[in-house]
Amino acid sequence: MSKGILVVVSGFSGAGKGTVMKRLMEKYNNYALSVSVTTRSPRPGEQDGKEYFFRTREEFEELIQKDALIEYAQYVKNYYGTPRAYVEEQLNAGKDVILEIEIQGARKIKAKNPEALLIFIAPPSMAELKNRLVGRGTETPQVIESRLHRAAEESQGVEEYDYLLLNDELEICVDELHRIIQSEHSRISRNLGFIQELRKEASQLG
Amino acid sequence: MSKGILVVVSGFSGAGKGTVMKRLMEKYNNYALSVSVTTRSPRPGEQDGKEYFFRTREEFEELIQKDALIEYAQYVKNYYGTPRAYVEEQLNAGKDVILEIEIQGARKIKAKNPEALLIFIAPPSMAELKNRLVGRGTETPQVIESRLHRAAEESQGVEEYDYLLLNDELEICVDELHRIIQSEHSRISRNLGFIQELRKEASQLG
């Protein structure tokens, strides 16, 4: 069995990443979704080990010391990181492991794991992103403005990703994400061992 | 509408490329299959414009002079080449254009068109390739031996391709080929114009 692929999914806040991930996990059983660890407080309804592992600052810094995180970053006053053990265990079991993280984390992952697959989810247009944020009816104009401003900033790093995935219709987006990840298993660079085998066999038979 | 992708498909002789191409064209209508031009004589049943365009050596050399071929190569005493007009016309019409050519041609295409997608079709094993050649019952042991020897040589260039596609079961192989080509449309490098648009829009809204 071949090793799984480490897949990083990022996207504009409001592009619907969370919904896409949830549906991908329901629809296909090839994937393992990494749960991040954070020092921020749980919001109402959030459970430890589900949305995040909630840890104190001291506990988080101990994880850093023990090299137990494959990446971590600090936003405002809180740490966010990806536990190493789960990711490695699932990759070795042949699962494709999905990290839903921001661009700083994505960069760190790619630097240490050049074979990681980076996918950026975007809305079909920024006007549509704004419509969605307004449509939620839960965000103040200030929050919407700050999210759009952030999207403009985030868009600066899109070229560092491998694929751009448009989230227009949920089911189509989820199927495309699945298709992209599965196709990636056929990359030459992920099949060098098999090619060596073929070559050896060919030289014996030919 | 976005431009089509130039797809080069190569593979060991006996790996079933021809059958895969035929089925791909029947099953999906996104593709245009390029017909090569050659100076070799038609075999019984071959029609001009279907398997190949059959031309004289003088006519072929005139095509070279007029830069009417996107690549050409000489095997034994015959020329083989890919007419430029059809490929460009179909790419501009948004079709993904498939060239079924050998590794020398693939290299020339990639050198001039770095955005071309190179796919190599292989059998699940060389023993299986030998079984298939023997199973046809039409090849002499000498021909089989020379094909396996050629496969050993061809396997030297596999790393220059982008994807390795195993032809174990025809329908699965055809669907994977379709999936790989369609996923490639989502590559960041093929969507830089759209990203520029998003960025411009974001900076206006944000």
Side-chain angles (χ1 to χ4, degrees):
Chain A
M1 186 184 47
S2 67
K3 228 188 141 188
I5 297 177
L6 183 57
V7 183
V8 173
V9 177
S10 306
F12 300 133
S13 116
K17 285 192 303 290
T19 314
V20 172
M21 293 304 108
K22 190 162 169 268
R23 186 73 189 117
L24 181 78
M25 302 303 291
E26 284 168 7
K27 199 164 179 176
Y28 299 102
N29 59 15
N30 321 49
Y31 304 109
L33 189 61
S34 161
V35 176
S36 295
V37 52
T38 183
T39 58
R40 83 154 166 76
S41 306
R43 294 183 188 137
E46 286 185 340
Q47 292 167 30
D48 183 50
K50 199 173 170 215
E51 287 80 8
Y52 286 97
F53 294 106
F54 296 101
R55 295 293 179 267
T56 65
R57 205 167 173 85
E58 293 67 38
E59 287 168 334
F60 198 102
E61 285 169 352
E62 204 184 313
L63 293 174
I64 299 174
Q65 293 305 317
K66 294 196 301 193
D67 198 28
L69 303 174
I70 60 170
E71 62 80 29
Y72 69 94
Q74 200 162 1
Y75 298 99
V76 198
K77 280 179 292 187
N78 290 304
Y79 279 129
Y80 293 80
T82 303
R84 180 185 304 282
Y86 177 80
V87 169
E88 293 187 346
E89 177 189 301
Q90 296 293 317
L91 289 176
N92 288 330
K95 292 267 186 181
D96 296 326
V97 179
I98 302 192
L99 315 185
E100 188 197 326
I101 57 178
E102 313 238 356
I103 189 164
Q104 292 97 313
R107 275 187 192 129
K108 289 178 190 169
I109 292 288
K110 191 74 175 183
K112 283 199 199 165
N113 310 271
E115 78 291 358
L117 182 64
L118 271 51
I119 300 174
F120 195 90
I121 299 189
S125 72
M126 285 301 184
E128 172 61 21
L129 182 66
K130 188 175 180 180
N131 285 343
R132 289 183 196 173
L133 292 169
V134 171
R136 287 182 184 176
T138 54
E139 320 280 9
T140 64
Q142 287 76 8
V143 167
I144 292 172
E145 177 137 344
S146 95
R147 291 214 168 188
L148 287 170
H149 187 73
R150 175 118 174 257
E153 283 173 10
E154 287 170 333
S155 73
Q156 298 310 318
V158 179
E159 282 97 339
E160 299 173 45
Y161 286 73
D162 297 305
Y163 290 93
L164 178 74
L165 181 60
L166 293 193
N167 183 14
D168 195 355
E169 216 180 298
L170 178 64
E171 293 301 320
I172 293 174
C173 178
V174 167
D175 290 345
E176 282 189 359
L177 178 56
H178 176 66
R179 187 172 74 181
I180 288 170
I181 301 170
Q182 293 314 304
S183 293
E184 196 62 27
H185 281 277
S186 303
R187 276 254 152 208
I188 288 285
S189 55
R190 299 188 196 275
N191 290 279
L192 298 177
F194 178 78
I195 292 169
Q196 284 301 335
E197 284 297 306
L198 271 192
R199 195 167 284 159
K200 206 173 131 195
E201 213 191 337
S203 67
Q204 284 159 357
L205 287 171
Chain B
M1 185 185 46
S2 67
K3 225 187 146 191
I5 298 177
L6 183 57
V7 182
V8 173
V9 177
S10 306
F12 299 133
S13 116
K17 284 191 305 289
T19 315
V20 171
M21 292 306 105
K22 191 164 169 265
R23 186 73 188 118
L24 181 78
M25 301 304 292
E26 282 168 9
K27 199 164 180 176
Y28 300 102
N29 59 14
N30 321 50
Y31 304 109
L33 189 61
S34 161
V35 175
S36 295
V37 52
T38 182
T39 57
R40 84 154 165 76
S41 306
R43 293 182 189 138
E46 286 184 340
Q47 293 168 28
D48 183 50
K50 196 171 173 219
E51 286 81 8
Y52 286 97
F53 294 106
F54 296 100
R55 294 293 179 267
T56 65
R57 205 167 172 86
E58 292 66 40
E59 288 167 335
F60 198 102
E61 285 169 352
E62 203 183 314
L63 293 174
I64 300 174
Q65 293 305 318
K66 294 196 300 190
D67 198 27
L69 303 175
I70 60 170
E71 61 80 31
Y72 69 94
Q74 201 161 1
Y75 297 99
V76 198
K77 278 178 292 186
N78 289 304
Y79 279 128
Y80 294 80
T82 303
R84 180 184 305 282
Y86 177 80
V87 169
E88 293 187 345
E89 175 190 302
Q90 296 293 316
L91 288 176
N92 288 330
K95 291 267 186 182
D96 297 325
V97 179
I98 302 191
L99 315 184
E100 188 197 327
I101 58 179
E102 314 239 356
I103 189 164
Q104 292 98 313
R107 275 187 193 130
K108 289 179 191 169
I109 292 288
K110 191 75 176 182
K112 282 199 201 166
N113 310 270
E115 78 291 357
L117 182 63
L118 271 51
I119 300 174
F120 196 90
I121 299 188
S125 71
M126 285 302 185
E128 173 61 22
L129 182 66
K130 188 176 179 179
N131 286 343
R132 288 183 196 173
L133 292 170
V134 171
R136 287 182 184 177
T138 54
E139 320 281 8
T140 64
Q142 287 76 8
V143 167
I144 292 173
E145 177 137 344
S146 94
R147 290 213 167 188
L148 288 171
H149 187 73
R150 175 121 173 254
E153 283 173 8
E154 286 170 333
S155 74
Q156 298 309 318
V158 179
E159 281 96 340
E160 298 173 45
Y161 286 73
D162 298 304
Y163 290 92
L164 178 74
L165 180 61
L166 293 192
N167 183 14
D168 194 355
E169 218 181 298
L170 178 64
E171 292 301 319
I172 293 175
C173 178
V174 166
D175 290 346
E176 282 189 1
L177 178 57
H178 176 65
R179 187 171 74 182
I180 288 170
I181 300 170
Q182 292 315 303
S183 293
E184 196 64 25
H185 280 277
S186 303
R187 277 254 150 207
I188 288 285
S189 55
R190 299 186 196 276
N191 290 277
L192 298 177
F194 178 78
I195 292 169
Q196 284 301 337
E197 283 298 308
L198 272 193
R199 194 167 285 159
K200 204 172 133 194
E201 212 192 335
S203 67
Q204 285 160 357
L205 288 171

